[in-house]
Amino acid sequence: MFELLLHGFGSLLHVDVLIALVGGTVIGYLLGAMPGLGPSLGVALLVPFTYGVDPVAAMVGLVALYAAAEYGGAITAILINTPGTAAAVATAWDGYPMACRGEAGFALNVSIVTSGIGALISTALLIFTAVPLSEFALSFGPAEYCALGLFGLSLIGSLSSGSAMRGLFSLFIGLAVALIGLDPVSGVPRFAPMPELFEGIPLVPALLGLYAISEVLYMLEQAVVRRESMPISGIFAVPLRTYRGMTKTITVSSVLGYLIGVIPGAGASIASLVAYNEAKRTAKDPGSFGKGNPEGVAASETANNAAVSGALAPLLALGIPGSATAAVLIGALMIQGIQPGPLLFTKNPEIPYSIFASLLVGIPLMVLVGLCGAKLWVKVANVPAPILAAIITGISLVGAYASQNSMFPVYITLGFGLLGYLLRKADVPLAPIVLALVLAPMVETNYRRAMLTSDGNLSIFLTSPISLVLVLLATLSLGLPAWRAYRQQRREGAVA
Amino acid sequence: MSATGMNLRATPMALHLGKALFRRILAMVSLTLFTWMAWSAMHFPKSLNTADVGPGEFPLIVAVGGLLCSLAVLVQGCSIREGSEAASMDVARAWSVAGAVLVIGAYGLLMPLLGFYACTAVAVPVMLLLGGERKWLRLLLVTVGFLVFVYFCFDRLLDVQFP
């Protein structure tokens, strides 16, 4: 493993990979700092630029963008109380009060440095867990893969923001869309009246529509508002001993962030909220949280960046995305003709080990770029919405066209853009659709293979211990929200 | 008030919709589609291999699940009290949004006929105008800048053949 990791470091010495690393970091900050744009949209917009690019450079650039965008949301959260990403909501609770009392530089320093520490700790966890996980997954058969996919799908639906029922609704819409195309076993066309649909709905154009075009329509609803941000000073004047007092918070938040990031559908926003609540619960002075306690900023930012590496673990080792952004990364890998999963470590080891190396090198770079460019990122948040909307629309449609050099993906992007906008208006989350598009083929194909192997006997899912555990967990994760909702209703009925 | 503090009811060209009604419509459309999906799945040819479940089983499972969820969304839509905060679904600057949908749609449909660069040269400034941009210099700079960027990045570097 260490030899392969050294090879990974060696690949960073190529000019194109270095450019991808730096470029991805800078673009990630820019996108993360703009409210409404986040890592999912950023990665989806950058994927078309990776056509024809070396796979290592492409993945290094996209992962760097993911990590930097996840951090970038904290900048506007602290300075103008408008989180750039959902994962920075908890950062604003303490970061903005700190900025209001003249400690904006201090808050930014804490957020950037703790993000970096959290990302480094979780990268170490990623390196030491992904490889054994992929080796363990080599023993998986069709039943285990089907059960794993089902477990992932069950979590996505129940962990969605807002109503769990609307999350499940979104999940089934995604599953229905994923079924369009030729049946993987018999080749029968399913819900595909034209030849262009025989290969199914193309993933990247659909993602561009769901995230980019729907966001453009949302942007057009906003009037042009110029936000005044807090002055930044003293960003480099924070003594190191400040962080000694936060060691426990940073360590716990890093581990929590990594573990939550591993869970499909959980993501950085849940990680930051859980870590914030845990830090507050165990703090000596919990009442100070929400009023400008730097540990609140540290907990949230450490966890949301740690979740990035967490989401990469199941992606690389199992081929299952840990977040919607990771699902977009799967699309990018597939464009390069690379199948994520346990065989990635044997057939294309340069990809995961370059990603590990790029994270270890890129995170200190991310901290440096963040600290030095703080004043620039704030200005970026004030780019007029009409300009952003026009550019994002253009890049999305160009990217969709470039994916297949034909107009069909462009129409897919348009259709999904409208669908995404309407669903968001009805408070239906989009992440389950994305994850269903990625996981559904894996679930069905392996289900059919398992049935062929067992001669049509469903007990194959129960006789394998791994499959049995996963099926039980899937049943629990689907049943638990319904059980809680039922108990809540009974309690409310009893009170009334 | 919106999440950004905008008073949507005072915003010109805002469209006020009932969220409950919208959810009910969404639920009924999805009920129809999932019903059609289930019916189609039951008519897919069976597999010749008796051990294979066939192409219709998974779509049927998904259709049933989708029908149940659609019913739940319909019930949720019926349970929202009209007039409450949760019942409001405002579309601020509705004409801008509708205009953008038309422009983006026309852009996609006309591109094969008129060519990518010609369509983009018209669509980008129109999108900017719909967004509220009025400075002609910005309109010009953003349009030209975007065209140049796409030309060098996609046409020359990535060798994408545009219509």
Side-chain angles (χ1 to χ4, degrees):
Chain A
M1 181 173 86
F2 289 106
E3 199 182 298
L4 286 165
L5 191 57
L6 280 172
H7 276 293
F9 279 111
S11 68
L12 293 183
L13 296 174
H14 293 140
V15 173
D16 55 344
V17 178
L18 271 176
I19 291 173
L21 179 62
V22 174
T25 302
V26 171
I27 296 171
Y29 267 117
L30 291 173
L31 289 171
M34 298 185 207
L37 310 185
S40 306
L41 175 57
V43 173
L45 284 175
L46 200 65
V47 163
F49 293 89
T50 65
Y51 304 142
V53 172
D54 174 62
V56 170
M59 292 314 297
V60 163
L62 291 173
V63 170
L65 186 155
Y66 183 8
E70 208 60 79
Y71 168 68
I75 299 167
T76 48
I78 290 167
L79 297 177
I80 56 176
N81 200 22
T82 306
T85 59
V89 165
T91 307
W93 294 340
D94 281 284
Y96 186 64
M98 286 177 72
C100 286
R101 60 173 190 243
E103 293 174 342
F106 180 22
L108 281 173
N109 186 295
V110 168
S111 68
I112 295 171
V113 172
T114 55
S115 283
I117 298 171
L120 277 173
I121 293 174
S122 72
T123 300
L125 288 170
L126 170 67
I127 292 169
F128 287 107
T129 56
V131 177
L133 188 59
S134 71
E135 285 166 4
F136 173 62
L138 281 171
S139 62
F140 279 18
E144 288 80 8
Y145 268 113
C146 176
L148 182 65
L150 272 174
F151 176 52
L153 287 172
S154 69
L155 282 172
I156 295 158
S158 55
L159 286 173
S160 309
S161 55
S163 153
M165 187 45 66
R166 286 199 294 280
L168 283 173
F169 176 64
S170 173
L171 182 71
F172 278 101
I173 291 176
L175 289 171
V177 170
L179 289 170
I180 296 172
L182 295 179
D183 174 56
V185 174
S186 61
V188 169
R190 294 189 302 194
F191 319 112
M194 57 182 93
E196 289 90 344
L197 284 172
F198 284 176
E199 286 188 31
I201 297 288
L203 181 62
V204 171
L207 295 177
L208 285 170
L210 282 174
Y211 282 114
I213 301 295
S214 71
E215 186 57 37
V216 161
L217 296 175
Y218 254 85
M219 272 184 208
L220 291 174
E221 286 191 47
Q222 309 288 325
V224 177
V225 172
R226 189 167 179 83
R227 301 179 192 90
E228 292 303 317
S229 76
M230 299 289 172
I232 307 170
S233 61
I235 193 169
F236 288 102
V238 179
L240 278 172
R241 63 173 181 275
T242 312
Y243 295 101
R244 260 185 245 134
M246 296 186 205
T247 310
K248 186 184 151 214
T249 298
I250 292 170
T251 312
V252 170
S253 300
S254 301
V255 175
L256 273 175
Y258 178 76
L259 291 173
I260 293 172
V262 167
I263 302 170
S269 44
I270 293 181
S272 73
L273 289 169
V274 169
Y276 183 90
N277 284 329
E278 183 58 24
K280 183 176 174 181
R281 188 183 70 81
T282 55
K284 286 180 198 146
D285 179 19
S288 64
F289 277 69
K291 295 174 187 155
N293 187 332
E295 283 209 46
V297 174
S300 169
E301 284 303 303
T302 308
N304 72 26
N305 264 85
V308 170
S309 297
L312 292 177
L315 165 68
L316 296 172
L318 303 171
I320 290 180
S323 65
T325 312
V328 186
L329 288 174
I330 286 184
L333 278 168
M334 280 157 60
I335 283 169
Q336 300 286 343
I338 294 165
Q339 185 64 36
L343 291 176
L344 185 68
F345 285 83
T346 47
K347 283 187 180 167
N348 300 97
E350 71 279 6
I351 304 277
Y353 285 100
S354 300
I355 290 174
F356 297 158
S358 73
L359 283 168
L360 290 170
V361 169
I363 288 161
L365 173 71
M366 185 186 84
V367 172
L368 194 62
V369 167
L371 288 171
C372 296
K375 291 181 182 172
L376 170 64
W377 314 133
V378 175
K379 286 191 171 42
V380 158
N382 277 319
V383 169
I387 293 178
L388 271 182
I391 291 174
I392 290 172
T393 305
I395 292 180
S396 303
L397 297 182
V398 165
Y401 179 86
S403 66
Q404 290 179 16
N405 267 332
S406 82
M407 289 303 299
F408 178 69
V410 175
Y411 303 136
I412 294 291
T413 300
L414 295 178
F416 274 81
L418 194 57
L419 174 69
Y421 177 70
L422 293 172
L423 288 176
R424 282 173 70 174
K425 275 298 183 192
D427 295 332
V428 176
L430 299 183
I433 297 179
V434 174
L435 292 158
L437 284 175
V438 172
L439 287 178
M442 175 182 136
V443 171
E444 185 186 12
T445 305
N446 284 291
Y447 172 68
R448 305 271 291 273
R449 280 190 197 147
M451 296 305 283
L452 282 167
T453 312
S454 67
D455 211 21
N457 193 345
L458 273 170
S459 64
I460 189 173
F461 294 102
L462 304 174
T463 49
S464 155
I466 298 169
S467 170
L468 175 64
V469 166
L470 289 169
V471 166
L472 285 172
L473 288 172
T475 313
L476 262 173
S477 76
L478 275 173
L480 220 55
W483 171 247
R484 265 195 234 127
Y486 169 71
R487 279 183 62 185
Q488 175 87 1
Q489 262 185 330
R490 282 196 68 177
R491 233 178 276 141
E492 281 166 8
V495 165
Chain B
M1 297 283 267
S2 75
T4 56
M6 280 168 57
N7 187 342
L8 289 165
R9 297 207 175 262
T11 306
M13 301 186 298
L15 181 65
H16 310 294
L17 299 167
K19 191 177 276 187
L21 176 64
F22 185 69
R23 280 204 195 145
R24 276 181 241 149
I25 294 171
L26 183 68
M28 286 191 286
V29 168
S30 61
L31 273 170
T32 310
L33 287 171
F34 280 119
T35 305
W36 169 76
M37 188 177 171
W39 180 86
S40 300
M42 288 192 288
H43 289 83
F44 284 140
K46 300 273 181 258
S47 174
L48 294 171
N49 185 337
T50 49
D52 182 26
V53 297
E57 172 133 337
F58 206 69
L60 190 59
I61 295 170
V62 169
V64 168
L67 280 168
L68 292 171
C69 290
S70 303
L71 276 169
V73 170
L74 184 64
V75 166
Q76 269 188 357
C78 294
S79 64
I80 294 176
R81 278 182 299 115
E82 296 296 344
S84 70
E85 188 65 41
S88 162
M89 187 188 87
D90 292 304
V91 180
R93 306 179 80 236
W95 287 113
S96 293
V97 174
V101 171
L102 285 170
V103 167
I104 298 172
Y107 181 49
L109 289 169
L110 293 173
M111 206 193 292
L113 302 169
L114 302 175
F116 167 77
Y117 290 103
C119 282
T120 306
V122 173
V124 170
V126 171
M127 284 292 290
L128 288 166
L129 286 167
L130 284 170
E133 185 56 65
R134 294 290 181 265
K135 293 181 180 168
W136 68 267
L137 189 62
R138 268 196 203 161
L139 289 173
L140 187 66
L141 284 174
V142 171
T143 306
V144 171
F146 180 74
L147 285 168
V148 168
F149 169 76
V150 169
Y151 174 72
F152 281 109
C153 214
F154 285 90
D155 206 319
R156 300 301 300 266
L157 214 64
L158 296 174
D159 201 26
V160 175
Q161 307 295 320
F162 288 112

